[in-house]
Every structure is written in structure tokens, then in C-alpha cells.
């Protein structure tokens, strides 16, 4: 059994809920407390698969099934690195994970069971934080930002609806994303700090979505 490994933390939420900024701030806050941590965005656009995803987000036409598998492959290509990093005692803050893959693809009309299978077997997150924001608040934030093909209220309402199902069935930790960036990050950091002693002594589990 691994002792004192890092934690795999996932931030999920609709677009504009503040995941990326929270991931950055939480890492900084943990580091200040002496807890080594790194952030891992998904999609990870630095890889070859990530570059294809980026082209898709900016207009390239691909079948939805291919899109789903690309996002999943993008997670699988760093799965081993995630495990090794956790084993070194470093906590990872993921900006999105398999759950984004599933909710976005179901919102695009794909079959739920088919969607679940591609990400099953990935390292299982220790804590999933769901940054809760209304569609109206997200739309307000969107007005000042550059957007991609998924960032419109009609699509985001489907995504939100799928997220709600996960949130309840998987006991996610909900965070009020209307708070300031600082407050959101502080809340997440203090929960991680609280849970770290207990969770870091447990083996890394495997995500079972089927
Ligand atoms: P982000 O870099 O977090 O803004 O994500 C870019 C876009 O990709 C965003 O509109 C949400 C979407 N997205 C993120 N992860 C997945 C996924 O796994 N599958 C699908 N279909 N879309 C995703």
C-alpha cells in the first residue's frame, strides 16, 4: 500500500464556473502550506491529441464519437504520469476530468453507456469539487470572454442538467461559484488540507463508470 501519496483532485462545472482560475489559486495556496501540488488541465492542449481537440473546438468537423474518444485519449495519455506524480507525494488539481467527457458527449446526443466505458479504468479522483453557477451568471461572465463552439446557453443548459445527475449520485463536494475567486480557492484548499492526512494513506483507486 502507498503511504503519503498526493491526492487526485478534480474540479468540474459548466463553462465560466471558474475552474481554471480555481485550479491555479488552489495550487498556489497548497504550495504556501507546504503541500506540493501541480495543476493538470483537460483537455491538455500541449499533446498531439490535445492539438487535434483544439482544432475541433475552433471549427474542425469531426464525428461526435471521434470527439469523445479524443478527449478520453487525451486523459489516458497522461494517466501513467498522474499515477507516478501521486506516488511521489504530489497532489494534482485537475481542471476537468472524465466527467466532463461524459456530460458533454451525452449533451451531444451520444449513448450514456457507450460514453462511460472509454474513461473507466483511469485513476479515480479522491475528491471532486463541483463549482455551482447558474446559467444566467455563466452567460453574464461569457459576455466579456472569447468563446468556443460549446459555449452557448442552450448547450450549457444540457451540460448542467447532466452534471446535476453526477453531482447527486457520486457525492461531489459542491462549491458556490458565485463567491469571489479567492473565496472559492480558499474553501477548496481548506477541504483538501483537512482530507489529506486520511486520504493520502489509501491506495490509488480506479475509476469505475460502467
Ligand atoms: P476548457 O479548456 O476547459 O475551456 O475546455 C474546452 C472546451 O472543451 C469546453 O467547451 C468544454 C469542452 N470539453 C472539455 N472536456 C471535454 C470532454 O471530455 N469531452 C467533450 N466533448 N468536451 C469537453
Amino acid at each position: 500500500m502507498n503511504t503519503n501519496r498526493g491526492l487526485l483532485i478534480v474540479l468540474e462545472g459548466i463553462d465560466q464556473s471558474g475552474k481554471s482560475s480555481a485550479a491555479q489559486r488552489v495550487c498556489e495556496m497548497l504550495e504556501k502550506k507546504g503541500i506540493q501540488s501541480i495543476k493538470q488541465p483537460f483537455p491538455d492542449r500541449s499533446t498531439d491529441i490535445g492539438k487535434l481537440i483544439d482544432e475541433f473546438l475552433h471549427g474542425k468537423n469531426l464525428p461526435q464519437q471521434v470527439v469523445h474518444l479524443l478527449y478520453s485519449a487525451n486523459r489516458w495519455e497522461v494517466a501513467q504520469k498522474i499515477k507516478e506524480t501521486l506516488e511521489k507525494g504530489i497532489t494534482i488539481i485537475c481542471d476537468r476530468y472524465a466527467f466532463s467527457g461524459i456530460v458533454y458527449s451525452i449533451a451531444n446526443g451520444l449513448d450514456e453507456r457507450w460514453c462511460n466505458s472509454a474513461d473507466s479504468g483511469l485513476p479515480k479522483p479522491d475528491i471532486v469539487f463541483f463549482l455551482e453557477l447558474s446559467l444566467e451568471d455563466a452567460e453574464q461572465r461569457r459576455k466579456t470572454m472569447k468563446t468556443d463552439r460549446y459555449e452557448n446557453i442552450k448547450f450549457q443548459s444540457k451540460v448542467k442538467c447532466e452534471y446535476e445527475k453526477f453531482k447527486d449520485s457520486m457525492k461531489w463536494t459542491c462549491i458556490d461559484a458565485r463567491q469571489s475567486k479567492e473565496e472559492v480557492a480558499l474553501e477548496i484548499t481548506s477541504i483538501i488540507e483537512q482530507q489529506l492526512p486520511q486520504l493520502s494513506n489509501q491506495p490509488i483507486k480506479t475509476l469505475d463508470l460502467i
Side-chain angles (χ1 to χ4, degrees), residues 12-13 15-16 19-20 41-45 53 56-57 64 67-72 75 95-106 108 119 148-151 155-156 159 163:
E12 290 281 1
D15 290 350
Q16 268 79 47
K19 299 176 295 301
S20 307
F42 287 114
D44 183 339
R45 302 186 198 209
I53 293 172
F56 161 74
L57 285 168
Q64 282 308 327
V67 172
H68 182 77
L69 295 174
L70 283 177
Y71 274 102
S72 178
R75 289 182 280 273
D95 172 4
R96 298 186 182 279
Y97 200 55
F99 314 103
S100 280
I102 296 165
V103 300
Y104 276 76
S105 289
I106 295 176
N108 270 318
D119 287 282
D148 63 41
R149 64 194 293 158
Y150 285 143
E151 296 181 273
F155 187 76
Q156 289 297 311
V159 168
Y163 264 135

mmCIF file of all heavy atoms in Angstrom, residues 12-13 15-16 19-20 41-45 53 56-57 64 67-72 75 95-106 108 119 148-151 155-156 159 163, ligand 1:
data_model
loop_
_atom_site.group_PDB
_atom_site.id
_atom_site.type_symbol
_atom_site.label_atom_id
_atom_site.label_comp_id
_atom_site.label_asym_id
_atom_site.label_seq_id
_atom_site.Cartn_x
_atom_site.Cartn_y
_atom_site.Cartn_z
ATOM 1 N N GLU A 12 -14.936 20.289 -11.455
ATOM 2 C CA GLU A 12 -15.885 20.211 -12.568
ATOM 3 C C GLU A 12 -16.890 21.354 -12.456
ATOM 4 O O GLU A 12 -17.054 21.943 -11.377
ATOM 5 C CB GLU A 12 -16.633 18.865 -12.560
ATOM 6 C CG GLU A 12 -15.785 17.649 -12.927
ATOM 7 C CD GLU A 12 -15.546 17.500 -14.450
ATOM 8 O OE1 GLU A 12 -16.020 18.348 -15.240
ATOM 9 O OE2 GLU A 12 -14.870 16.527 -14.832
ATOM 10 N N GLY A 13 -17.574 21.626 -13.540
ATOM 11 C CA GLY A 13 -18.578 22.689 -13.553
ATOM 12 C C GLY A 13 -18.779 23.170 -14.981
ATOM 13 O O GLY A 13 -17.926 22.921 -15.844
ATOM 14 N N ASP A 15 -19.077 25.740 -18.240
ATOM 15 C CA ASP A 15 -18.131 26.748 -18.708
ATOM 16 C C ASP A 15 -18.376 28.053 -17.939
ATOM 17 O O ASP A 15 -19.527 28.406 -17.651
ATOM 18 C CB ASP A 15 -18.287 26.971 -20.220
ATOM 19 C CG ASP A 15 -17.800 25.768 -21.016
ATOM 20 O OD1 ASP A 15 -17.182 24.866 -20.423
ATOM 21 O OD2 ASP A 15 -18.039 25.706 -22.234
ATOM 22 N N GLN A 16 -17.297 28.746 -17.651
ATOM 23 C CA GLN A 16 -17.320 30.022 -16.898
ATOM 24 C C GLN A 16 -17.573 29.866 -15.403
ATOM 25 O O GLN A 16 -17.802 30.859 -14.713
ATOM 26 C CB GLN A 16 -18.371 31.006 -17.453
ATOM 27 C CG GLN A 16 -17.825 31.959 -18.495
ATOM 28 C CD GLN A 16 -17.716 31.288 -19.840
ATOM 29 O OE1 GLN A 16 -18.664 30.638 -20.264
ATOM 30 N NE2 GLN A 16 -16.589 31.446 -20.499
ATOM 31 N N LYS A 19 -13.264 27.166 -13.024
ATOM 32 C CA LYS A 19 -12.413 26.004 -12.712
ATOM 33 C C LYS A 19 -10.923 26.297 -12.896
ATOM 34 O O LYS A 19 -10.114 25.974 -12.038
ATOM 35 C CB LYS A 19 -12.799 24.811 -13.607
ATOM 36 C CG LYS A 19 -14.229 24.341 -13.438
ATOM 37 C CD LYS A 19 -14.577 23.225 -14.408
ATOM 38 C CE LYS A 19 -14.547 23.648 -15.858
ATOM 39 N NZ LYS A 19 -15.444 24.743 -16.235
ATOM 40 N N SER A 20 -10.580 26.908 -14.036
ATOM 41 C CA SER A 20 -9.151 27.103 -14.339
ATOM 42 C C SER A 20 -8.500 28.034 -13.329
ATOM 43 O O SER A 20 -7.400 27.760 -12.832
ATOM 44 C CB SER A 20 -8.966 27.692 -15.742
ATOM 45 O OG SER A 20 -9.660 26.898 -16.660
ATOM 46 N N PRO A 41 -4.669 20.557 -16.652
ATOM 47 C CA PRO A 41 -5.908 20.884 -17.365
ATOM 48 C C PRO A 41 -6.323 19.771 -18.326
ATOM 49 O O PRO A 41 -5.474 19.102 -18.905
ATOM 50 C CB PRO A 41 -5.520 22.145 -18.160
ATOM 51 C CG PRO A 41 -4.047 22.007 -18.382
ATOM 52 C CD PRO A 41 -3.493 21.195 -17.245
ATOM 53 N N PHE A 42 -7.624 19.572 -18.456
ATOM 54 C CA PHE A 42 -8.169 18.708 -19.514
ATOM 55 C C PHE A 42 -9.218 19.505 -20.264
ATOM 56 O O PHE A 42 -10.110 20.052 -19.631
ATOM 57 C CB PHE A 42 -8.792 17.431 -18.937
ATOM 58 C CG PHE A 42 -7.763 16.448 -18.435
ATOM 59 C CD1 PHE A 42 -7.672 16.155 -17.087
ATOM 60 C CD2 PHE A 42 -6.888 15.847 -19.317
ATOM 61 C CE1 PHE A 42 -6.722 15.262 -16.622
ATOM 62 C CE2 PHE A 42 -5.932 14.946 -18.858
ATOM 63 C CZ PHE A 42 -5.853 14.654 -17.504
ATOM 64 N N PRO A 43 -9.192 19.617 -21.590
ATOM 65 C CA PRO A 43 -8.166 18.998 -22.425
ATOM 66 C C PRO A 43 -6.794 19.590 -22.172
ATOM 67 O O PRO A 43 -6.665 20.776 -21.891
ATOM 68 C CB PRO A 43 -8.644 19.302 -23.849
ATOM 69 C CG PRO A 43 -9.487 20.531 -23.734
ATOM 70 C CD PRO A 43 -10.135 20.424 -22.398
ATOM 71 N N ASP A 44 -5.762 18.706 -22.308
ATOM 72 C CA ASP A 44 -4.380 19.143 -22.231
ATOM 73 C C ASP A 44 -3.939 19.421 -23.673
ATOM 74 O O ASP A 44 -3.643 18.500 -24.426
ATOM 75 C CB ASP A 44 -3.541 18.038 -21.591
ATOM 76 C CG ASP A 44 -2.095 18.466 -21.414
ATOM 77 O OD1 ASP A 44 -1.660 19.404 -22.121
ATOM 78 O OD2 ASP A 44 -1.404 17.881 -20.568
ATOM 79 N N ARG A 45 -3.957 20.706 -24.026
ATOM 80 C CA ARG A 45 -3.745 21.067 -25.437
ATOM 81 C C ARG A 45 -2.280 21.007 -25.847
ATOM 82 O O ARG A 45 -1.941 21.278 -26.992
ATOM 83 C CB ARG A 45 -4.320 22.456 -25.716
ATOM 84 C CG ARG A 45 -5.819 22.526 -25.381
ATOM 85 C CD ARG A 45 -6.438 23.843 -25.778
ATOM 86 N NE ARG A 45 -7.713 24.054 -25.078
ATOM 87 C CZ ARG A 45 -8.718 24.747 -25.547
ATOM 88 N NH1 ARG A 45 -8.647 25.310 -26.731
ATOM 89 N NH2 ARG A 45 -9.823 24.911 -24.851
ATOM 90 N N ILE A 53 -7.871 18.329 -30.592
ATOM 91 C CA ILE A 53 -9.061 18.794 -29.867
ATOM 92 C C ILE A 53 -9.200 20.309 -30.043
ATOM 93 O O ILE A 53 -10.295 20.832 -30.273
ATOM 94 C CB ILE A 53 -8.969 18.409 -28.367
ATOM 95 C CG1 ILE A 53 -9.058 16.890 -28.209
ATOM 96 C CG2 ILE A 53 -10.062 19.104 -27.553
ATOM 97 C CD1 ILE A 53 -8.795 16.370 -26.802
ATOM 98 N N PHE A 56 -10.644 21.063 -33.304
ATOM 99 C CA PHE A 56 -12.078 20.773 -33.283
ATOM 100 C C PHE A 56 -12.846 21.928 -32.630
ATOM 101 O O PHE A 56 -13.862 22.394 -33.156
ATOM 102 C CB PHE A 56 -12.339 19.459 -32.539
ATOM 103 C CG PHE A 56 -13.756 19.309 -32.089
ATOM 104 C CD1 PHE A 56 -14.764 19.011 -32.994
ATOM 105 C CD2 PHE A 56 -14.103 19.496 -30.750
ATOM 106 C CE1 PHE A 56 -16.092 18.907 -32.585
ATOM 107 C CE2 PHE A 56 -15.422 19.396 -30.326
ATOM 108 C CZ PHE A 56 -16.411 19.100 -31.251
ATOM 109 N N LEU A 57 -12.317 22.404 -31.497
ATOM 110 C CA LEU A 57 -13.011 23.481 -30.778
ATOM 111 C C LEU A 57 -13.076 24.767 -31.594
ATOM 112 O O LEU A 57 -13.933 25.603 -31.375
ATOM 113 C CB LEU A 57 -12.328 23.739 -29.429
ATOM 114 C CG LEU A 57 -12.605 22.680 -28.361
ATOM 115 C CD1 LEU A 57 -11.678 22.836 -27.169
ATOM 116 C CD2 LEU A 57 -14.060 22.736 -27.908
ATOM 117 N N GLN A 64 -19.066 12.983 -33.581
ATOM 118 C CA GLN A 64 -19.114 13.110 -32.112
ATOM 119 C C GLN A 64 -18.396 11.961 -31.401
ATOM 120 O O GLN A 64 -17.777 12.156 -30.359
ATOM 121 C CB GLN A 64 -20.573 13.173 -31.632
ATOM 122 C CG GLN A 64 -21.239 14.523 -31.830
ATOM 123 C CD GLN A 64 -20.417 15.674 -31.245
ATOM 124 O OE1 GLN A 64 -19.722 15.544 -30.242
ATOM 125 N NE2 GLN A 64 -20.488 16.821 -31.894
ATOM 126 N N VAL A 67 -14.804 12.669 -31.358
ATOM 127 C CA VAL A 67 -14.524 13.736 -30.389
ATOM 128 C C VAL A 67 -14.451 13.141 -28.978
ATOM 129 O O VAL A 67 -13.518 13.399 -28.212
ATOM 130 C CB VAL A 67 -15.607 14.841 -30.466
ATOM 131 C CG1 VAL A 67 -15.443 15.857 -29.346
ATOM 132 C CG2 VAL A 67 -15.577 15.521 -31.828
ATOM 133 N N HIS A 68 -15.442 12.301 -28.659
ATOM 134 C CA HIS A 68 -15.472 11.687 -27.325
ATOM 135 C C HIS A 68 -14.190 10.895 -27.066
ATOM 136 O O HIS A 68 -13.565 11.018 -26.004
ATOM 137 C CB HIS A 68 -16.695 10.769 -27.185
ATOM 138 C CG HIS A 68 -16.795 10.146 -25.828
ATOM 139 N ND1 HIS A 68 -17.252 10.832 -24.721
ATOM 140 C CD2 HIS A 68 -16.441 8.914 -25.381
ATOM 141 C CE1 HIS A 68 -17.201 10.050 -23.663
ATOM 142 N NE2 HIS A 68 -16.703 8.881 -24.037
ATOM 143 N N LEU A 69 -13.805 10.098 -28.044
ATOM 144 C CA LEU A 69 -12.621 9.243 -27.863
ATOM 145 C C LEU A 69 -11.341 10.068 -27.804
ATOM 146 O O LEU A 69 -10.401 9.709 -27.091
ATOM 147 C CB LEU A 69 -12.561 8.182 -28.970
ATOM 148 C CG LEU A 69 -13.715 7.173 -28.933
ATOM 149 C CD1 LEU A 69 -13.670 6.242 -30.143
ATOM 150 C CD2 LEU A 69 -13.702 6.349 -27.635
ATOM 151 N N LEU A 70 -11.303 11.181 -28.527
ATOM 152 C CA LEU A 70 -10.115 12.044 -28.474
ATOM 153 C C LEU A 70 -9.942 12.645 -27.079
ATOM 154 O O LEU A 70 -8.847 12.643 -26.518
ATOM 155 C CB LEU A 70 -10.224 13.189 -29.497
ATOM 156 C CG LEU A 70 -9.945 12.843 -30.954
ATOM 157 C CD1 LEU A 70 -10.165 14.076 -31.830
ATOM 158 C CD2 LEU A 70 -8.517 12.330 -31.139
ATOM 159 N N TYR A 71 -11.050 13.161 -26.511
ATOM 160 C CA TYR A 71 -10.962 13.735 -25.172
ATOM 161 C C TYR A 71 -10.529 12.654 -24.167
ATOM 162 O O TYR A 71 -9.733 12.909 -23.270
ATOM 163 C CB TYR A 71 -12.304 14.327 -24.734
ATOM 164 C CG TYR A 71 -12.562 15.755 -25.178
ATOM 165 C CD1 TYR A 71 -13.398 16.029 -26.246
ATOM 166 C CD2 TYR A 71 -11.999 16.831 -24.504
ATOM 167 C CE1 TYR A 71 -13.667 17.338 -26.646
ATOM 168 C CE2 TYR A 71 -12.258 18.143 -24.881
ATOM 169 C CZ TYR A 71 -13.090 18.382 -25.948
ATOM 170 O OH TYR A 71 -13.348 19.680 -26.322
ATOM 171 N N SER A 72 -11.100 11.452 -24.340
ATOM 172 C CA SER A 72 -10.744 10.373 -23.428
ATOM 173 C C SER A 72 -9.273 9.980 -23.609
ATOM 174 O O SER A 72 -8.528 9.830 -22.627
ATOM 175 C CB SER A 72 -11.660 9.171 -23.681
ATOM 176 O OG SER A 72 -11.298 8.118 -22.835
ATOM 177 N N ARG A 75 -6.905 12.055 -21.840
ATOM 178 C CA ARG A 75 -6.729 11.752 -20.411
ATOM 179 C C ARG A 75 -5.861 10.501 -20.234
ATOM 180 O O ARG A 75 -4.980 10.457 -19.377
ATOM 181 C CB ARG A 75 -8.103 11.570 -19.739
ATOM 182 C CG ARG A 75 -8.870 12.875 -19.614
ATOM 183 C CD ARG A 75 -10.207 12.700 -18.914
ATOM 184 N NE ARG A 75 -11.258 12.181 -19.762
ATOM 185 C CZ ARG A 75 -12.059 12.933 -20.527
ATOM 186 N NH1 ARG A 75 -11.920 14.229 -20.539
ATOM 187 N NH2 ARG A 75 -13.009 12.378 -21.261
ATOM 188 N N ASP A 95 -8.249 20.381 -13.800
ATOM 189 C CA ASP A 95 -9.281 21.290 -14.303
ATOM 190 C C ASP A 95 -10.067 20.468 -15.335
ATOM 191 O O ASP A 95 -9.648 20.362 -16.469
ATOM 192 C CB ASP A 95 -8.550 22.496 -14.921
ATOM 193 C CG ASP A 95 -9.454 23.449 -15.659
ATOM 194 O OD1 ASP A 95 -10.673 23.237 -15.650
ATOM 195 O OD2 ASP A 95 -8.913 24.396 -16.263
ATOM 196 N N ARG A 96 -11.159 19.836 -14.887
ATOM 197 C CA ARG A 96 -11.981 18.872 -15.617
ATOM 198 C C ARG A 96 -11.330 17.478 -15.602
ATOM 199 O O ARG A 96 -10.126 17.350 -15.471
ATOM 200 C CB ARG A 96 -12.173 19.241 -17.102
ATOM 201 C CG ARG A 96 -12.876 20.556 -17.336
ATOM 202 C CD ARG A 96 -13.105 20.689 -18.834
ATOM 203 N NE ARG A 96 -13.730 21.924 -19.211
ATOM 204 C CZ ARG A 96 -15.018 22.172 -19.150
ATOM 205 N NH1 ARG A 96 -15.830 21.234 -18.711
ATOM 206 N NH2 ARG A 96 -15.506 23.326 -19.518
ATOM 207 N N TYR A 97 -12.210 16.456 -15.844
ATOM 208 C CA TYR A 97 -11.724 15.071 -15.912
ATOM 209 C C TYR A 97 -12.758 14.272 -16.707
ATOM 210 O O TYR A 97 -13.502 14.847 -17.508
ATOM 211 C CB TYR A 97 -11.537 14.540 -14.479
ATOM 212 C CG TYR A 97 -10.624 13.351 -14.343
ATOM 213 C CD1 TYR A 97 -9.320 13.365 -14.831
ATOM 214 C CD2 TYR A 97 -11.053 12.185 -13.696
ATOM 215 C CE1 TYR A 97 -8.474 12.269 -14.667
ATOM 216 C CE2 TYR A 97 -10.215 11.090 -13.518
ATOM 217 C CZ TYR A 97 -8.927 11.139 -14.008
ATOM 218 O OH TYR A 97 -8.099 10.051 -13.837
ATOM 219 N N ALA A 98 -12.810 12.965 -16.460
ATOM 220 C CA ALA A 98 -13.691 12.087 -17.227
ATOM 221 C C ALA A 98 -15.152 12.544 -17.225
ATOM 222 O O ALA A 98 -15.884 12.320 -18.200
ATOM 223 C CB ALA A 98 -13.621 10.686 -16.641
ATOM 224 N N PHE A 99 -15.571 13.189 -16.134
ATOM 225 C CA PHE A 99 -16.982 13.573 -16.016
ATOM 226 C C PHE A 99 -17.355 14.624 -17.058
ATOM 227 O O PHE A 99 -18.458 14.612 -17.589
ATOM 228 C CB PHE A 99 -17.255 14.065 -14.594
ATOM 229 C CG PHE A 99 -16.652 13.153 -13.565
ATOM 230 C CD1 PHE A 99 -15.483 13.499 -12.904
ATOM 231 C CD2 PHE A 99 -17.215 11.903 -13.320
ATOM 232 C CE1 PHE A 99 -14.889 12.628 -11.997
ATOM 233 C CE2 PHE A 99 -16.635 11.023 -12.420
ATOM 234 C CZ PHE A 99 -15.458 11.390 -11.753
ATOM 235 N N SER A 100 -16.408 15.517 -17.371
ATOM 236 C CA SER A 100 -16.657 16.476 -18.454
ATOM 237 C C SER A 100 -16.898 15.705 -19.746
ATOM 238 O O SER A 100 -17.810 16.019 -20.517
ATOM 239 C CB SER A 100 -15.438 17.388 -18.677
ATOM 240 O OG SER A 100 -15.402 18.425 -17.740
ATOM 241 N N GLY A 101 -16.060 14.700 -19.964
ATOM 242 C CA GLY A 101 -16.179 13.901 -21.192
ATOM 243 C C GLY A 101 -17.566 13.323 -21.332
ATOM 244 O O GLY A 101 -18.178 13.373 -22.406
ATOM 245 N N ILE A 102 -18.060 12.782 -20.232
ATOM 246 C CA ILE A 102 -19.361 12.118 -20.290
ATOM 247 C C ILE A 102 -20.503 13.124 -20.441
ATOM 248 O O ILE A 102 -21.350 12.980 -21.320
ATOM 249 C CB ILE A 102 -19.533 11.223 -19.039
ATOM 250 C CG1 ILE A 102 -18.468 10.116 -19.095
ATOM 251 C CG2 ILE A 102 -20.926 10.634 -18.973
ATOM 252 C CD1 ILE A 102 -18.255 9.384 -17.808
ATOM 253 N N VAL A 103 -20.495 14.171 -19.632
ATOM 254 C CA VAL A 103 -21.641 15.096 -19.709
ATOM 255 C C VAL A 103 -21.682 15.836 -21.056
ATOM 256 O O VAL A 103 -22.754 16.035 -21.616
ATOM 257 C CB VAL A 103 -21.709 16.106 -18.533
ATOM 258 C CG1 VAL A 103 -21.832 15.408 -17.201
ATOM 259 C CG2 VAL A 103 -20.571 17.077 -18.509
ATOM 260 N N TYR A 104 -20.535 16.208 -21.594
ATOM 261 C CA TYR A 104 -20.543 16.922 -22.878
ATOM 262 C C TYR A 104 -20.997 15.997 -24.001
ATOM 263 O O TYR A 104 -21.729 16.413 -24.901
ATOM 264 C CB TYR A 104 -19.164 17.521 -23.193
ATOM 265 C CG TYR A 104 -18.955 18.869 -22.531
ATOM 266 C CD1 TYR A 104 -18.679 18.948 -21.167
ATOM 267 C CD2 TYR A 104 -19.081 20.052 -23.243
ATOM 268 C CE1 TYR A 104 -18.524 20.173 -20.537
ATOM 269 C CE2 TYR A 104 -18.921 21.286 -22.612
ATOM 270 C CZ TYR A 104 -18.648 21.330 -21.270
ATOM 271 O OH TYR A 104 -18.508 22.545 -20.645
ATOM 272 N N SER A 105 -20.564 14.728 -23.950
ATOM 273 C CA SER A 105 -20.950 13.820 -25.032
ATOM 274 C C SER A 105 -22.420 13.430 -24.948
ATOM 275 O O SER A 105 -23.097 13.321 -25.969
ATOM 276 C CB SER A 105 -20.055 12.582 -25.032
ATOM 277 O OG SER A 105 -18.771 12.958 -25.461
ATOM 278 N N ILE A 106 -22.922 13.224 -23.727
ATOM 279 C CA ILE A 106 -24.361 12.920 -23.594
ATOM 280 C C ILE A 106 -25.154 14.137 -24.079
ATOM 281 O O ILE A 106 -26.145 13.997 -24.800
ATOM 282 C CB ILE A 106 -24.728 12.549 -22.138
ATOM 283 C CG1 ILE A 106 -24.045 11.245 -21.737
ATOM 284 C CG2 ILE A 106 -26.245 12.412 -21.995
ATOM 285 C CD1 ILE A 106 -24.271 10.835 -20.289
ATOM 286 N N ASN A 108 -24.387 15.995 -26.310
ATOM 287 C CA ASN A 108 -24.306 15.986 -27.777
ATOM 288 C C ASN A 108 -25.062 14.807 -28.388
ATOM 289 O O ASN A 108 -24.943 14.545 -29.592
ATOM 290 C CB ASN A 108 -22.837 15.913 -28.215
ATOM 291 C CG ASN A 108 -22.251 17.300 -28.381
ATOM 292 O OD1 ASN A 108 -22.888 18.191 -28.924
ATOM 293 N ND2 ASN A 108 -21.020 17.484 -27.906
ATOM 294 N N ASP A 119 -13.580 6.000 -20.318
ATOM 295 C CA ASP A 119 -12.773 6.547 -19.219
ATOM 296 C C ASP A 119 -12.680 5.607 -18.012
ATOM 297 O O ASP A 119 -11.970 5.913 -17.054
ATOM 298 C CB ASP A 119 -13.343 7.904 -18.776
ATOM 299 C CG ASP A 119 -13.055 8.977 -19.804
ATOM 300 O OD1 ASP A 119 -11.920 9.458 -19.844
ATOM 301 O OD2 ASP A 119 -13.958 9.306 -20.591
ATOM 302 N N ASP A 148 -15.756 29.279 -27.339
ATOM 303 C CA ASP A 148 -15.591 28.230 -28.343
ATOM 304 C C ASP A 148 -16.953 27.643 -28.708
ATOM 305 O O ASP A 148 -17.988 28.137 -28.260
ATOM 306 C CB ASP A 148 -14.589 27.164 -27.860
ATOM 307 C CG ASP A 148 -15.073 26.433 -26.615
ATOM 308 O OD1 ASP A 148 -16.274 26.108 -26.559
ATOM 309 O OD2 ASP A 148 -14.260 26.186 -25.712
ATOM 310 N N ARG A 149 -16.949 26.567 -29.491
ATOM 311 C CA ARG A 149 -18.201 26.057 -30.052
ATOM 312 C C ARG A 149 -19.214 25.570 -29.020
ATOM 313 O O ARG A 149 -20.401 25.461 -29.308
ATOM 314 C CB ARG A 149 -17.903 24.958 -31.082
ATOM 315 C CG ARG A 149 -17.254 23.728 -30.487
ATOM 316 C CD ARG A 149 -16.678 22.844 -31.574
ATOM 317 N NE ARG A 149 -17.685 22.253 -32.407
ATOM 318 C CZ ARG A 149 -17.471 21.800 -33.641
ATOM 319 N NH1 ARG A 149 -16.289 21.928 -34.192
ATOM 320 N NH2 ARG A 149 -18.416 21.243 -34.329
ATOM 321 N N TYR A 150 -18.787 25.199 -27.815
ATOM 322 C CA TYR A 150 -19.706 24.674 -26.812
ATOM 323 C C TYR A 150 -20.298 25.764 -25.926
ATOM 324 O O TYR A 150 -21.148 25.490 -25.093
ATOM 325 C CB TYR A 150 -18.974 23.698 -25.903
ATOM 326 C CG TYR A 150 -18.677 22.345 -26.512
ATOM 327 C CD1 TYR A 150 -17.485 21.689 -26.236
ATOM 328 C CD2 TYR A 150 -19.598 21.701 -27.326
ATOM 329 C CE1 TYR A 150 -17.209 20.442 -26.756
ATOM 330 C CE2 TYR A 150 -19.333 20.456 -27.859
ATOM 331 C CZ TYR A 150 -18.132 19.824 -27.569
ATOM 332 O OH TYR A 150 -17.866 18.586 -28.076
ATOM 333 N N GLU A 151 -19.761 26.981 -26.051
ATOM 334 C CA GLU A 151 -20.104 27.986 -25.052
ATOM 335 C C GLU A 151 -21.311 28.833 -25.429
ATOM 336 O O GLU A 151 -21.194 30.004 -25.725
ATOM 337 C CB GLU A 151 -18.872 28.845 -24.743
ATOM 338 C CG GLU A 151 -17.777 27.997 -24.112
ATOM 339 C CD GLU A 151 -16.537 28.774 -23.745
ATOM 340 O OE1 GLU A 151 -15.660 28.927 -24.589
ATOM 341 O OE2 GLU A 151 -16.480 29.238 -22.603
ATOM 342 N N PHE A 155 -26.622 24.867 -25.188
ATOM 343 C CA PHE A 155 -25.802 23.669 -24.969
ATOM 344 C C PHE A 155 -25.426 23.542 -23.489
ATOM 345 O O PHE A 155 -25.475 22.456 -22.907
ATOM 346 C CB PHE A 155 -24.546 23.697 -25.845
ATOM 347 C CG PHE A 155 -23.770 22.419 -25.771
ATOM 348 C CD1 PHE A 155 -24.201 21.281 -26.433
ATOM 349 C CD2 PHE A 155 -22.629 22.327 -24.989
ATOM 350 C CE1 PHE A 155 -23.515 20.078 -26.329
ATOM 351 C CE2 PHE A 155 -21.926 21.130 -24.879
ATOM 352 C CZ PHE A 155 -22.368 20.009 -25.553
ATOM 353 N N GLN A 156 -25.068 24.674 -22.881
ATOM 354 C CA GLN A 156 -24.651 24.636 -21.475
ATOM 355 C C GLN A 156 -25.791 24.191 -20.554
ATOM 356 O O GLN A 156 -25.545 23.594 -19.508
ATOM 357 C CB GLN A 156 -24.123 26.015 -21.044
ATOM 358 C CG GLN A 156 -22.772 26.365 -21.655
ATOM 359 C CD GLN A 156 -21.651 25.428 -21.223
ATOM 360 O OE1 GLN A 156 -21.477 25.152 -20.042
ATOM 361 N NE2 GLN A 156 -20.897 24.912 -22.176
ATOM 362 N N VAL A 159 -25.613 20.502 -20.585
ATOM 363 C CA VAL A 159 -24.438 20.078 -19.818
ATOM 364 C C VAL A 159 -24.740 20.153 -18.317
ATOM 365 O O VAL A 159 -24.467 19.223 -17.560
ATOM 366 C CB VAL A 159 -23.222 20.984 -20.170
ATOM 367 C CG1 VAL A 159 -22.071 20.778 -19.197
ATOM 368 C CG2 VAL A 159 -22.748 20.719 -21.598
ATOM 369 N N TYR A 163 -24.628 17.231 -15.492
ATOM 370 C CA TYR A 163 -23.772 17.378 -14.305
ATOM 371 C C TYR A 163 -24.579 17.145 -13.027
ATOM 372 O O TYR A 163 -24.089 16.544 -12.072
ATOM 373 C CB TYR A 163 -23.185 18.791 -14.244
ATOM 374 C CG TYR A 163 -21.789 18.967 -14.809
ATOM 375 C CD1 TYR A 163 -21.489 20.056 -15.636
ATOM 376 C CD2 TYR A 163 -20.748 18.095 -14.483
ATOM 377 C CE1 TYR A 163 -20.206 20.251 -16.144
ATOM 378 C CE2 TYR A 163 -19.467 18.292 -14.979
ATOM 379 C CZ TYR A 163 -19.202 19.369 -15.798
ATOM 380 O OH TYR A 163 -17.931 19.560 -16.269
HETATM 381 P P1 LIG B 1 -11.745 24.298 -21.429
HETATM 382 O O1 LIG B 1 -10.307 24.296 -21.867
HETATM 383 O O2 LIG B 1 -11.949 23.769 -20.023
HETATM 384 O O3 LIG B 1 -12.447 25.618 -21.687
HETATM 385 O O4 LIG B 1 -12.484 23.226 -22.372
HETATM 386 C C1 LIG B 1 -12.625 23.474 -23.730
HETATM 387 C C2 LIG B 1 -13.963 23.015 -24.195
HETATM 388 O O5 LIG B 1 -13.971 21.586 -24.286
HETATM 389 C C3 LIG B 1 -15.138 23.407 -23.310
HETATM 390 O O6 LIG B 1 -16.182 23.944 -24.114
HETATM 391 C C4 LIG B 1 -15.606 22.122 -22.713
HETATM 392 C C5 LIG B 1 -15.147 21.073 -23.670
HETATM 393 N N1 LIG B 1 -14.749 19.828 -23.031
HETATM 394 C C6 LIG B 1 -13.880 19.692 -22.005
HETATM 395 N N2 LIG B 1 -13.669 18.408 -21.730
HETATM 396 C C7 LIG B 1 -14.429 17.709 -22.605
HETATM 397 C C8 LIG B 1 -14.615 16.315 -22.846
HETATM 398 O O7 LIG B 1 -14.018 15.457 -22.212
HETATM 399 N N3 LIG B 1 -15.479 15.983 -23.858
HETATM 400 C C9 LIG B 1 -16.122 16.932 -24.606
HETATM 401 N N4 LIG B 1 -16.930 16.517 -25.579
HETATM 402 N N5 LIG B 1 -15.961 18.236 -24.408
HETATM 403 C C10 LIG B 1 -15.130 18.618 -23.416
#
